[in-house]
Amino acid sequence: MERYDCKTAQTGFCAGYAFVFKKEKTIRYERGDKEEEENRLNRAVLTLGKRLEERRDSSDNTEAELIDAELMILNDESFTGTVSSLIKNEGADAPGALERAEAILCGRLAAAENDYIKERSEDIKGLISSLAAIITGNETASPEKPCILAGEELSISDLAAFDHGLIKGIITNTGSPTSHLSVLAGNLGVPYLFGLDSITEVIHTGDYLVVDGGKASVLINPEETVKKEAERKQEENEKARAERRKQAETEKTKTGIYANITGTEEAEAAERARCDGIGLVRSEFLFLNRKNPPAEEEQFEAYKHIVEAVKGKEVIIRTMDIGSDKSPEWLTIPDEINPALGQRGIRVSLNNRELFRTQLRAILRAAVYGNLKLMLPMVTALWEVDEAISELKQSAEELKEKGESYCMPETGVMIETPAAVMIAAELASKVRFFSIGTNDLAQYALAIDREAKGLDDYFDPLHEGLFRMIGMTVEAAHAHDIPVAVCGELASRPDAVEKLIRFGVDELSVSVSKLYEVREAVAEIESSFPTDNSLI
Ligand code: PEP
Ligand code: MG
């Protein structure tokens, strides 16, 4: 048995078998004879074609259309012909021919005037990387049964294609408690440890692991008695959790306890867990791990589903917070030295107006079906809010002209940059609510990238400076009679909740898995000062 000390991003305890996630490597060059290289290419085209057809047959209309477009390219003579002529005439091996074909074909498309044709180069890139992965055997495997995921520098994009229900715990080499991976682990209600060096050398797929978030340690391949003890502890925790849930069933709190979600299924889970509403829909998750952005119709269906799932309760949809570590492959963002300070959130929306308007139309239409509100991420200036509201109005006009029903949602902003804190009073006069994104506010206030490596001793999410910023924001909001929520990870930290409530925060928005424990904690805190909920 080996024991390693790590750092805790999400608490909890689990035991089970490891699945080590390895990222795709770059293409290997292998020179075979021409005929063999052509055969490798043809076999890969057939395999990919079959997979795409199978996926199309089990997809909804919108996705099926996208897959059909990919199949058309894959079966087009000018696509396969270009690759095989590089093998035949220039002696390239199959992976090398694919790489060069990408440059040739995408170069041709880039010269086209029509945007639609230009955008096809993303389909070509996607097809080429899938073919290369099949040929070189470098396809990324996904776990098929419950497992504890271990990997180097895992990002949420790496996990987007996984069945999240199979993940019992996560361990990585680098990380931080406010990284998006940590947010995901919180959503799943699983422990997440980081800080295990050479992780892919010490943990192998199939190893038995005991992950203890409380002790910040992992045991690898312990003896039978330790395994039995860990499994017993796991069962006990499960029972205790069910009991807490039961208790929290009847608790009522003055502070709203809202849920943070990333997709439609979580909306139902949040409703079952008695959320007071959905305080944050991270809508960008709808845009990740795909070859093209979701069409208006697909977005409309998703937002409508969420709104209906919570039966009239408030739902706050954050417009896509794309960029930094949540960059979809279909969007070209120039290389950035520091992506956290680059094209992110509202900036991406305002720099890609058609994309933004498509989302706004979908939100406006879904608002007809319930109590939907819209929230803008990463705001730093008043003009950004003015511009976004003007886009919202224009999108509403477009729907009106088409005779579509829509409803104008209330608009709020996320307070997650120091600049937004400093102009909170002015922002409060333009919008109807605030939600403080403490994950980002901490990174920008402390000047530490939330995905930074090796700086976790400096990353103090309970820093007094951060709490003062929260206090200033609440004061500005309440002076303008608008409510304030906290939707970052701080909202579910037992060592922060009381302070937030005493500061006068009106709502806490937390991952679905934390709804019960936060509700219970808040009920207890509120019962100690039932009539005075203000800063003391
Ligand atoms: C935050 O920054 O606190 C937040 C809730 O948004 P995200 O974690 O998605 O950036
Ligand atoms: Mg944020």
Side-chain angles (χ1 to χ4, degrees), residues 180 280 282 318 326 344 416 437-440 450 487-488:
H180 283 112
L280 172 64
R282 288 184 162 99
R318 169 173 79 185
K326 289 185 285 189
R344 257 203 80 174
E416 48 187 352
T438 49
N439 303 337
D440 277 314
R450 60 198 270 197
C487 64

Side-chain angles (χ1 to χ4, degrees), residues 324-325 333-343 449 451-453:
S324 198
D325 67 325
I333 294 183
D335 275 351
E336 295 173 311
I337 291 174
N338 192 339
L341 300 181
Q343 299 233 19
D449 190 325
E451 312 290 335
K453 302 171 184 97

Side-chain angles (χ1 to χ4, degrees), residues 69-190:
E70 289 191 2
L71 276 165
M72 247 168 72
I73 299 174
L74 185 68
N75 297 324
D76 190 315
E77 175 47 33
S78 66
F79 176 73
T80 43
T82 305
V83 191
S84 66
S85 86
L86 287 164
I87 296 176
K88 264 198 229 123
N89 305 330
E90 304 202 10
D93 61 1
L98 280 166
E99 196 177 79
R100 283 169 56 195
E102 178 178 317
I104 295 170
L105 294 168
C106 294
R108 273 185 214 150
L109 292 180
E113 299 219 328
N114 180 322
D115 278 350
Y116 177 81
I117 295 181
K118 270 191 197 153
E119 282 161 16
R120 300 287 63 76
S121 63
E122 291 310 315
D123 293 336
I124 290 180
K125 285 182 194 161
L127 286 172
I128 284 185
S129 94
S130 305
L131 288 170
I134 294 172
I135 288 173
T136 56
N138 276 334
E139 288 181 278
T140 306
S142 305
E144 281 163 8
K145 37 186 199 242
C147 65
I148 298 168
L149 205 58
E152 260 165 19
E153 287 166 33
L154 280 182
S155 75
I156 44 162
S157 314
D158 294 328
L159 303 196
F162 280 29
D163 176 352
H164 288 172
L166 296 176
I167 301 174
K168 293 172 74 174
I170 304 177
I171 315 176
T172 58
N173 54 341
T174 59
S176 90
T178 52
S179 66
H180 283 112
L181 187 61
S182 171
V183 170
L184 176 75
N187 281 352
L188 298 174
V190 302

Side-chain angles (χ1 to χ4, degrees), residues 202-215:
V202 291
I203 300 180
H204 305 99
T205 295
D207 282 347
Y208 189 92
L209 307 180
V210 178
V211 175
D212 191 333
K215 290 191 186 144

